[in-house]
Amino acid sequence: HTHTHTGAEGQGWDSYWAYAASKAQATQDFYTNEELITRLTEKVWDSKVGQGFWLVEFYAPWCSHCIHASPFVKQAAGLLDGEVEFGAVNGVSEMGE
């Protein structure tokens, strides 16, 4: 028996993984223009995260939970500015780098 999952656009998919794979090409960064959230990559991780307190979000642009959480991450970054550094890792664009 095959389970069908409904994607964000209301389309039926044979499996969650088929839906996720179909969205994997979407590498849009949620926080590109955010001053208080640092875009973290493998290349800059050690130089950025090595000091102070950090809250780091690992996300996928196609993930509905990640999409819904991003406004709250932005709000928290504003509220905790100067106390905690915020960073974000786009798991899709960092995959394989």
Side-chain angles (χ1 to χ4, degrees), residues 14-58:
D14 291 334
S15 73
Y16 171 79
W17 294 112
Y19 173 70
S22 75
K23 297 298 177 185
Q25 72 276 5
T27 58
Q28 134 189 0
D29 287 313
F30 291 170
Y31 307 105
T32 300
N33 297 317
E34 294 294 322
E35 291 180 21
L36 299 177
I37 302 173
T38 303
R39 183 178 178 268
L40 297 170
T41 64
E42 184 178 2
K43 294 174 186 164
V44 301
W45 178 273
D46 290 334
S47 65
K48 298 283 187 180
V49 182
Q51 299 185 14
F53 294 102
W54 281 78
L55 186 140
V56 177
E57 177 188 17
F58 294 83

Side-chain angles (χ1 to χ4, degrees), residues 42-94:
E42 184 178 2
K43 294 174 186 164
V44 301
W45 178 273
D46 290 334
S47 65
K48 298 283 187 180
V49 182
Q51 299 185 14
F53 294 102
W54 281 78
L55 186 140
V56 177
E57 177 188 17
F58 294 83
Y59 69 93
W62 50 262
C63 171
S64 63
H65 300 291
C66 302
I67 293 166
H68 290 119
S70 66
F72 299 104
V73 174
K74 293 173 186 178
Q75 182 181 21
L79 292 171
L80 296 171
D81 185 25
E83 297 184 42
V84 177
E85 298 292 331
F86 278 73
V89 176
N90 180 334
V92 174
S93 64
E94 284 301 299

